Amino acid sequence: MRDPQQILQDTFGYSTFRPPQDEIIRAVSSGDNALVLMPTGGGKSLCYQIPALARDGCGIVISPLIALMQDQVDALRQLGVRADFLNSTLSQEHQWEVEQRLLDGDLDLLYIAPERLSQPRMLDLLHGSTLALFAIDEAHCVSQWGHDFREDYLRLSLLQERFPAVPRIALTATADARTRTEIARRLALQDARHFIAGFDRPNICYRIAPRHNPKSQLLGFLRSEHPADAGIVYCLSRKKTEQTAQWLGQEGFNALPYHAGLDAGTRADHQARFLKEDGVIVVATIAFGMGIDKPDVRFVAHLDLPKTVESYYQETGRAGRDGQPADAWMVYGLQDVIKLRQMMASSDGSEEHKRAEQHRLNAMLGLCEITSCRRQALLGYFGQDLDRPCGNCDSCLNPVDTWDGTEAAQMALSVAYRTGQRFGVNHLIDVLRGAQNERILQWDHHLLPTHGVGAELDANQWRSVFRQLVARGYFSVDIESFGALRLEEKCRPLLKGEERIDLRRESRQTSARKQTKTPLPEDIDVGLWEALRDCRRRLAEDQGVPPYVIFHDSTLREMCAMKPADIGQFGQLSGVGERKRDKYAEAFLAVIGAHY
Ligand code: ADP
Ligand code: ZN
């Protein structure tokens, strides 16, 4: 067996493992099974790629992400790894060719789609080959509770039945305890070692703000912090993704829509441009992003509230895979809650399922409204403790001001009660502020004792009060009657004056980071940096691969700092393995040489 450390160095060009990579790789290389939970960008791929190279035979990677197989295989070939894939996009002849290579022992890694595994032809092929391991990527797809459930994943239990001697490693970035148990059960990994890496993504700065004027809020964020960066903007509806992309285009950004309603060609084109061009913004529904492993996504912005903390974490996790500073930015409003509850109510799941969804949405709302460190709350949700505030979220950077909202809350609750719990926020605010409009007169609401008692707060301030009361479960939103607010049991002590409540004071803008980040170190030679990027772009275009497949930004940055003078020094850079050294040293050394 080859030494994993040596493979890390020679093939991947990295000098050290990130814990717990080394432990996982040691376990799987020696034939043990493993279940791996690691955050996006944590370095899951090496956990199966290196054991596959260390052991005899070919590693079979089961992945639902057909669209990405080509990219993954391209990246491995760049490293000199004999990789290929089998999926429905290949011609018959091409498939036979790949199958033959597997039989001949000519492959280190083979990516296949899950549905293949149940085909007798595929099973025969696997039985006839030497197999190093099975890696089950995106293993949470086996969970019916998860949001990405895939029927085909259920059949993966046959791996244990048919190939008991081949080690299995299941990997995922998102799985709460319940999903983890389900993965272990369905993939027969109960006795396997479970590696649960920390969830934290310290380089991501989390910010969440109430939505006042989403366009100008987003524009302010992009202009001041990410004028030329690649990023993703998430919206709930298809229409909104298109409108937002078009509007960003008019504002001078390179923005493209992405949703399941676009034809396959357009989708593929937009995804490819996101991967291959610099500074593209994709405005997308959640249809976009699963498995996108572009390392230099600098921000993920949400214009609508995700349904669960899991989705929020997964979507924001697409930012900053390269470990460089990145932003998770979101604005949300009460309207989101109403819309999401509507969607949940009209879905055809069981009552139990709906209750679970409701519960998850409440947790998401809680995260939005907390006044303490967001990262502590986020990690806490996944059962991980962070012993002190993180220093890299909006609550930490701009501590939240709170005010005694007891009286305002009492007014809000009582106006809902006195109007029969049949009206939505806007009408209730009108009553509180003493408006005399037609609707108020029609219902005689100007005669109520609460009419006009809340004139000292403006409509936005009231909106914030209502939103926080909904988020904290004092009100529920009745979606059957157009967002009418109903009192929940929880509000009794508050109404009786036995409890007080502190509310978050809204600042008008979404707080910016204190230190604006410098994507490049101050002393970097910008001319050289641009020249190196040009060189990378040319090489990438020649081969039809994304630039980061040639080298990551971090490797180019090291080139600027170290200025290697010969091939030996070039080979020392992080991210430069033997194959890339031999293939690219000349071109990049020439750029560096010409610059001095
Ligand atoms: P995941 O699949 O967990 O989201 P990846 O496997 O794509 O993450 O790895 C994320 C990034 O980290 C990749 O660019 C990868 O090359 C890099 N990486 C992984 N392990 C190491 C390591 N030990 N040293 C340096 N970089 C690493
Ligand atoms: Zn914090």
Side-chain angles (χ1 to χ4, degrees):
M1 197 177 85
R2 285 172 67 203
D3 175 26
Q5 175 68 43
Q6 204 64 43
I7 300 176
L8 179 73
Q9 183 65 58
D10 296 347
T11 304
F12 295 87
Y14 298 136
S15 53
T16 48
F17 284 113
R18 292 181 188 158
Q21 280 178 334
D22 41 355
E23 257 189 285
I24 299 166
I25 289 170
R26 222 176 313 124
V28 178
S29 299
S30 62
D32 290 341
N33 297 325
L35 191 153
V36 173
L37 179 67
M38 226 190 237
T40 312
K44 282 187 286 303
S45 329
L46 290 190
C47 296
Y48 58 85
Q49 289 168 349
I50 291 187
L53 292 170
R55 291 171 62 85
D56 273 350
C58 178
I60 307 293
V61 186
I62 295 142
S63 165
L65 310 168
I66 293 185
L68 293 172
M69 288 184 180
Q70 181 73 58
D71 269 8
Q72 289 167 323
V73 164
D74 282 347
L76 283 165
R77 287 182 181 159
Q78 288 283 332
L79 302 169
V81 175
R82 299 171 305 168
D84 222 317
F85 64 88
L86 278 176
N87 66 30
S88 49
T89 65
L90 297 184
S91 69
Q92 197 54 251
E93 286 74 28
H94 196 151
Q95 291 196 30
W96 289 332
E97 218 175 278
V98 175
E99 290 171 10
Q100 196 55 50
R101 289 183 65 200
L102 176 64
L103 289 169
D104 292 347
D106 260 352
L107 284 177
D108 301 313
L109 278 159
L110 177 64
Y111 286 75
I112 63 176
E115 62 270 18
R116 294 234 147 205
L117 265 186
S118 43
Q119 298 170 0
R121 179 184 172 84
M122 188 72 215
L123 289 172
D124 287 347
L125 185 68
L126 292 175
H127 277 294
S129 316
T130 313
L131 302 180
L133 55 84
F134 287 107
I136 300 130
D137 209 2
E138 313 288 348
H140 58 278
C141 292
V142 81
S143 161
Q144 273 158 323
W145 284 102
H147 41 329
D148 294 320
F149 173 63
R150 289 172 193 239
E151 197 81 43
D152 292 316
Y153 262 61
L154 292 181
R155 298 208 197 96
L156 297 184
S157 56
L158 67 77
L159 294 179
Q160 137 81 6
E161 292 151 20
R162 303 288 193 93
F163 305 91
V166 181
R168 300 185 304 285
I169 169 173
L171 310 103
T172 176
T174 44
D176 53 17
R178 177 181 201 171
T179 312
R180 236 143 53 208
T181 315
E182 201 178 347
I183 296 175
R185 183 167 56 84
R186 295 210 184 270
L187 300 178
L189 291 171
Q190 289 101 330
D191 299 327
R193 289 191 59 187
H194 292 197
F195 298 89
I196 316 291
F199 265 100
D200 195 11
R201 302 285 312 279
N203 60 315
I204 298 183
C205 177
Y206 296 99
R207 286 184 275 170
I208 302 177
R211 193 171 53 212
H212 302 296
N213 181 340
K215 280 190 174 173
S216 76
Q217 285 173 297
L218 180 63
L219 207 56
F221 167 67
L222 294 179
R223 288 240 163 94
S224 65
E225 301 185 46
H226 298 285
D229 288 333
I232 306 173
V233 176
Y234 281 111
C235 308
L236 207 53
S237 75
R238 297 173 178 186
K239 192 160 132 226
K240 188 161 163 189
T241 64
E242 294 196 11
Q243 288 168 343
T244 307
Q246 193 189 14
W247 161 74
L248 283 174
Q250 287 158 3
E251 296 291 339
F253 291 91
N254 194 357
L256 304 168
Y258 191 102
H259 59 74
L262 293 172
D263 64 86
T266 310
R267 284 207 308 267
D269 176 55
H270 289 183
Q271 174 163 328
R273 286 180 60 191
F274 181 64
L275 296 179
K276 293 187 181 169
E277 294 174 18
D278 281 333
V280 173
I281 297 176
V282 166
V283 186
T285 58
I286 51 170
F288 182 74
M290 187 175 175
I292 290 283
D293 52 5
K294 182 174 166 65
D296 55 354
V297 176
R298 291 273 65 85
F299 68 89
V300 170
H302 280 93
L303 290 177
D304 293 300
L305 188 71
K307 270 195 265 187
T308 64
V309 177
E310 283 89 347
S311 325
Y312 173 73
Y313 194 74
Q314 191 177 47
E315 286 152 27
T316 57
R318 290 170 186 144
R321 279 184 173 227
D322 53 8
Q324 306 295 317
D327 282 303
W329 182 96
M330 175 161 90
V331 290
Y332 90 107
L334 189 54
Q335 207 48 42
D336 293 335
V337 183
I338 297 173
K339 225 187 287 173
L340 287 176
R341 292 208 169 136
Q342 243 153 7
M343 281 166 65
M344 285 176 191
S346 60
S347 77
D348 35 50
S350 66
E351 278 311 307
E352 190 195 357
H353 188 71
K354 284 183 189 172
R355 251 198 313 279
E357 280 195 313
Q358 188 62 51
H359 203 71
R360 290 177 170 196
L361 173 59
N362 290 344
M364 184 65 226
L365 284 170
L367 179 68
C368 293
E369 295 294 348
I370 52 158
T371 51
S372 54
C373 175
R374 304 247 194 231
R375 190 181 314 270
Q376 278 181 321
L378 199 51
L379 296 177
Y381 181 84
F382 295 109
Q384 189 191 331
D385 286 334
L386 188 66
D387 49 12
R388 68 183 89 96
C390 74
N392 193 26
C393 74
D394 51 0
S395 303
C396 287
L397 292 169
N398 305 71
V400 183
D401 209 6
T402 57
W403 57 292
D404 180 353
T406 312
E407 204 186 335
Q410 286 167 340
M411 290 182 192
L413 293 166
S414 104
V415 75
Y417 182 71
R418 288 185 183 266
T419 51
Q421 311 188 58
R422 278 185 298 162
F423 294 87
V425 181
N426 291 332
H427 183 73
L428 298 180
I429 293 176
D430 283 344
V431 179
L432 284 169
R433 293 190 28 80
Q436 298 278 357
N437 58 34
E438 197 181 317
R439 206 147 174 240
I440 291 206
L441 299 175
Q442 175 196 343
W443 290 95
D444 280 345
H445 288 165
H446 57 298
L447 304 177
L448 292 175
T450 35
H451 187 250
V453 292
E456 73 271 28
L457 297 187
D458 68 27
N460 270 328
Q461 289 167 319
W462 274 119
R463 225 179 291 284
S464 153
V465 171
F466 279 102
R467 201 193 64 240
Q468 295 185 58
L469 291 174
V470 171
R472 298 204 207 168
Y474 291 93
F475 276 128
S476 57
V477 181
D478 183 352
I479 43 103
E480 302 279 293
S481 52
F482 309 103
L485 295 187
R486 287 189 198 283
L487 274 61
E488 287 292 305
E489 193 53 35
K490 190 179 170 186
C491 68
R492 249 174 228 279
L494 190 57
L495 271 174
K496 287 197 200 147
E498 294 164 4
E499 189 186 285
R500 42 163 291 172
I501 183 170
D502 282 331
L503 296 177
R504 186 180 248 275
R505 194 187 299 284
E506 314 293 2
S507 59
R508 291 255 102 228
Q509 317 111 334
T510 28
S511 48
R513 290 161 189 282
K514 269 183 189 148
Q515 3 42 331
T516 49
K517 80 178 157 284
T518 38
L520 296 172
E522 291 296 343
D523 52 357
I524 203 169
D525 180 334
V526 178
L528 177 57
W529 168 253
E530 289 302 337
L532 292 172
R533 275 164 58 102
D534 268 347
C535 177
R536 178 176 67 174
R537 195 175 309 135
R538 259 186 292 114
L539 292 167
E541 270 168 20
D542 287 349
Q543 301 175 65
V545 296
Y548 57 77
V549 166
I550 309 284
F551 286 126
H552 281 185
D553 283 358
S554 53
T555 304
L556 294 195
R557 215 165 279 156
E558 264 197 52
M559 273 182 221
C560 285
M562 315 294 271
K563 304 186 181 65
D566 56 43
I567 188 162
Q569 290 175 5
F570 193 84
Q572 302 294 309
L573 301 173
S574 174
V576 182
E578 288 174 349
R579 172 61 69 101
K580 286 189 176 177
R581 179 194 64 200
D582 295 346
K583 202 163 165 194
Y584 299 127
E586 199 181 337
F588 286 94
L589 287 172
V591 173
I592 298 168
H595 201 73
Y596 287 98

